[in-house]
Amino acid sequence: MNNKWLIKGVVLGLAFFLAVLLVKPIGVSTQFVILDGIIYNAIDSDVITEDENSSTGYTSTNAYYAKSDGKYAKAIENPLNYSFVFVLAIPLGAYLASKLKSKKVIEDEVEKDINSNDLEVLKGSGESFIKKYGPSFVSGVLLLFGARMAGGCTSGHMMSGIMQSSVSGFVFTIAVFATAVPAAIILPKMIFKKGAKA
Amino acid sequence: MEILLAILLGGFFGFALYYVGSTSSFNLRSMLSLRYLSLMKIILFAIGFSSALVSIFALIGLFDISHLSVKSTNLGVIVGGLIFGLGFGFAGKCPGTCVADSSSGGLKKSIAIILGGLVGAFIFTLSYGSFKELGLFDIMDIGKMTLFNISREFPSVFNIGFSGLLSMGIVIMIIAYILPMNVKQRG
């Protein structure tokens, strides 16, 4: 019996636990909004304004940035805040971990277990620039549009949410799996099989 | 101090995401297409484990309950989740794992997802007002509800506190343990 998964579960669980113990639950998708806002505000400085009547001291002409008393507006004006720096630090840690090459280990395990026809479909491929990066780009649009509408993503809703027994976390997870499972099975087959023939 | 914590905790989170193999879209798609559930076991165990740790620390008085933060439940969570799932299943990446991957493996594809994500988040930013007027966030709005009564700030389904959350954590860890590693396809 291979218990490597158990150690990995403990490490990932510790990351979520330490974050909420020391500061607050982990979340990622909001920071896409903040980075957008920083760019938007740099182009049009009227977007975010100071506002004495708001508890954060900021408001915005955009209803989303102005929501919750200008919470996002404040973060956009002060990007050196906990949540934004947290997300910027993610690639640093991931880079360190990449030295351990654990990903390769898991992929080898999988390759032993599923037959080679399935592998082609799972890995995905494409030759032209659009075929190679177009699906990723469109997926990214869906991911963040959906996450912001839901108010969180895999980290904030699914993991941090369920960890606190938040109803929204369970509801989000059920909704995500309802489309993610069919998408993972059907969509790559459609696109990549066509690509393979051409 | 807070910025130092952000670097340390964000760094550790990124380390964990990569270390467990969640940054590989191949692994995530294997999980989502229900072929190989190793990652699902890991994620479920992580949720149960962190739940149990929070509960234990809270029960012995070493946890600051004001750190908890629960999100609202409303129709937006369902519709948003359904849209999110399409991108999740197709790309085999979520917002966190593509940021973690952007420093390692499938760099170019992750950058394409991040750029798409910035566009998606911006489209939502511009359309938020209209969705709000439509009442998307008012339908099925039950507020920041939790199953267990872990803080006075949030309404709860059951009138049990951290002992309830601890039990839930243990149950989730057991499910993670029982779940099979790979689902053999018949025929």
Side-chain angles (χ1 to χ4, degrees), chain A residues 64-154:
Chain A
Y64 196 46
Y65 297 150
K67 137 184 140 75
S68 310
D69 252 359
K71 195 173 70 182
Y72 294 161
K74 186 187 176 190
I76 290 165
E77 278 288 349
N78 309 284
L80 211 64
N81 62 73
Y82 172 82
S83 302
F84 194 64
V85 175
F86 181 94
V87 172
L88 293 182
I90 290 176
L92 301 178
Y95 180 76
L96 266 174
S98 71
K99 301 289 171 196
L100 296 177
K101 293 205 162 48
S102 72
K103 189 174 89 169
K104 187 83 192 101
V105 175
I106 289 202
E107 284 189 6
D108 290 343
E109 284 169 16
V110 179
E111 286 183 40
K112 261 185 267 160
D113 280 315
I114 54 183
N115 69 59
S116 56
N117 285 335
D118 289 343
L119 267 181
E120 282 307 306
V121 177
L122 280 168
K123 275 187 173 162
S125 61
E127 269 149 45
S128 71
F129 185 80
I130 299 285
K131 256 188 191 155
K132 214 168 179 184
Y133 301 112
S136 299
F137 183 83
V138 174
S139 305
V141 174
L142 293 171
L143 276 172
L144 266 300
F145 183 84
R148 289 333 299 158
M149 181 182 279
C153 63
T154 331

Side-chain angles (χ1 to χ4, degrees), chain A residues 37-53:
Chain A
I38 293 169
I39 299 166
Y40 191 7
N41 195 37
I43 296 167
D44 177 1
S45 59
D46 295 336
V47 176
I48 310 288
T49 47
E50 288 186 23
D51 178 10
E52 286 167 18
N53 297 324

